Structure formats: structure tokens, C-alpha cells
């Protein structure tokens, strides 16, 4: 029997094959990068924390009817997932203006958006993950028109579920990034991870614009105690039972 092969190593995770071609093993690393890998570092315990948070959120979303690639978590920093073909899009959902939305539009940080904004970025490091229009995305054949509609609908549903879930944790879900994959039946499944690396999360108990930050912005902006903030998110997430 062949041993697990490294299939791909990304900035935060390594993907391995397993003896079952339908199943892959994701290893979550402590490595952290920002600004298209121009800033590099390590957050102690991040691999385990993000694996645990993502696993809990995927199970919670499955229980609410969202199909995901999640199977189980055989060790603290490993997740078994369905082998899907990743759609090369980063689907970003925003509830509150922050990050690149503020930089590119001039909207003030913290402005509550009148309705959630769903955006598509091209997952391509060499091009700097550019923002796409629907027409560009279709022109590039990154997805079919029906798939774009479905991605939009799923992203909105996931946003509603996650916003409510994080509110129960005393956390405001500002924005987040999703990735999707297609299984052998061409069904779209939620993939990748959902963690403080891929979400902006603000502590509702603190209005200070720096102290409230519980996500990767602590690393990006050198705000300190990144690990403590990630652990706090983990504790609050795990305290919420999974309900269907
Ligand atoms: N995001 C991500 N990976 C990326 C780009 C963005 O997980 O490659 C997440 C980011 O953490 C934030 C949301 O998507 O929660 C929106 O990010 P934004 O476009 O504001 O970019 P940033 O300011 O993070 O560069």
C-alpha cells in the first residue's frame, strides 16, 4: 500500500493523499503570511486552533444544510476532507467595511453595509488575487453562470448562519473568505477552512478598534497577542453546541 504523498503545500496548510483517492488529509500549519506572503511569521498553536475552529464550523454548517468537504478530524491539526476540484475563486462576504473594501472605495472602517456584499477574487498569487467582475469571471470560464448564481446563494446562506453563530459567541462577523470545490458529481461543496485566518472577527465586548480584533489583522498590523486572540475565538466557538 502506498504511503501518503504530499499533494500540495500552501501558505497555511499541506494537503496529502490517502489510501482512498476520494479522501485527502489537510495538515494545518502554524505558519502565517500576509500581504501576498510579503509578511511571514508563525503563530504558536495556530494549526491546531484553526483546525479545531474550522472542524466545528463545518459540522455546524452541515447540520444547517450546507454541503461541505469536511469528514473528520483524526488528530488535533489534521482534517480529513472529500477530494474536490477547487474552483479558483475566493468568495468574500462583507457585512461591515474593512480591509481592501475601505482601501479601494474610501468607505470608512466599521461602516455597516446596507446588505451583505458578495465579491469574487481570482485565486492567483502571481496576479495578486485580483477582484473580478461577473463578466470577467465568465469570460475566464472560472465557473458557469449557474455556478456563479449558486456560489452567490450559498455564500449568502453561510453568511446568515455564521453571523448568527458568532453573535452567540459575542463576536461580530465583519467579513470572511470562502472557497468551494466540485465533487465527482459536479456538486459544489464548501471547502478550505473558516478560521481567524480567513475571517475578520470583532469582540463585541470591546469597542476599542485595536483591542476588539480577534483575527489575522492582529498579525497583519502587529497588534500583539495573536495566539491569545485565536484561543479566545476557539473557546467561544467550542462553547456553542452544534444544532440542526
Ligand atoms: N481573505 C483571506 N484570504 C485572502 C484574502 C482575504 O482569507 O487571500 C479574507 C480576509 O481575512 C478578510 C476577507 O477575506 O476576512 C476580506 O479581505 P480583504 O479583501 O479586505 O483583504 P485584506 O484587507 O485582508 O488584504
Amino acid at each position: 500500500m502506498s504511503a501518503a504523498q504530499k499533494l500540495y503545500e500552501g501558505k497555511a496548510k499541506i494537503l496529502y493523499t490517502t489510501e482512498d483517492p476520494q479522501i485527502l488529509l489537510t495538515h494545518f500549519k502554524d505558519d502565517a503570511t500576509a500581504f501576498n506572503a510579503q509578511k511571514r511569521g508563525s503563530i504558536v498553536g495556530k494549526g491546531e486552533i484553526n483546525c479545531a475552529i474550522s472542524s466545528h464550523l463545518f459540522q455546524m454548517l452541515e447540520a444547517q444544510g450546507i454541503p461541505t468537504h469536511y469528514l473528520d478530524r483524526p488528530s488535533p491539526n489534521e482534517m480529513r476532507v472529500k477530494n474536490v476540484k477547487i474552483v479558483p475563486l475566493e468568495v468574500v462576504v462583507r457585512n461591515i467595511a474593512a480591509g481592501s473594501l475601505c482601501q479601494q472605495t474610501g468607505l470608512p472602517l466599521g461602516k455597516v453595509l446596507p446588505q451583505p456584499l458578495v465579491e469574487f477574487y481570482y485565486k492567483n498569487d502571481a496576479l495578486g488575487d485580483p477582484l473580478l467582475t461577473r463578466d470577467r469571471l465568465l469570460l475566464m470560464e472560472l465557473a458557469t453562470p449557474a455556478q456563479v448564481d449558486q456560489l452567490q446563494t450559498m455564500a449568502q446562506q453561510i453568511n446568515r448562519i455564521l453571523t448568527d453563530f458568532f453573535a452567540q459567541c459575542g463576536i461580530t462577523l465583519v467579513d470572511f473568505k470562502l472557497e468551494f470545490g466540485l465533487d465527482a458529481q459536479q456538486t459544489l461543496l464548501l471547502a478550505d477552512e473558516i478560521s481567524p485566518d480567513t475571517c475578520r472577527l470583532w469582540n463585541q465586548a470591546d469597542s476599542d478598534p485595536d483591542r476588539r480584533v480577534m483575527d489575522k489583522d492582529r498579525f497583519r498590523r502587529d497588534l500583539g497577542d495573536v495566539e491569545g486572540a485565536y484561543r479566545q475565538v476557539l473557546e467561544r466557538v467550542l462553547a456553542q453546541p452544534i444544532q440542526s
Side-chain angles (χ1 to χ4, degrees), residues 90 92 94 98-100 121 129 175-177 197-200 220:
E90 298 196 338
V92 168
R94 302 176 187 275
S100 70
Y121 293 80
D129 296 344
D175 60 28
F176 58 99
K177 184 262 306 181
D197 270 9
T198 63
C199 302
R200 284 199 169 89
R220 290 189 189 96

Side-chain angles (χ1 to χ4, degrees), residues 171-212:
I171 293 172
T172 299
L173 179 59
V174 174
D175 60 28
F176 58 99
K177 184 262 306 181
L178 301 173
E179 292 184 28
F180 293 84
L182 288 164
D183 69 9
Q185 290 73 43
Q186 297 295 105
T187 303
L188 276 171
L189 305 182
L190 178 62
D192 195 50
E193 67 174 289
I194 306 175
S195 73
D197 270 9
T198 63
C199 302
R200 284 199 169 89
L201 304 168
W202 290 352
N203 186 358
Q204 291 178 350
D206 204 332
S207 59
D208 179 87
D210 289 348
R211 277 202 315 261
R212 69 184 173 190

Side-chain angles (χ1 to χ4, degrees), residues 28-32 42-53 73 76-77 195-197 226-228 230-231 234:
F28 284 68
K29 302 194 285 185
D30 286 354
D31 298 354
S42 178
I43 301 166
V44 177
K46 179 171 85 77
E48 287 189 23
I49 296 170
N50 281 358
C51 187
I53 293 172
R73 182 170 164 238
N77 58 2
S195 73
D197 270 9
V226 188
E227 187 198 340
Y230 276 50
R231 282 200 187 283
L234 173 65

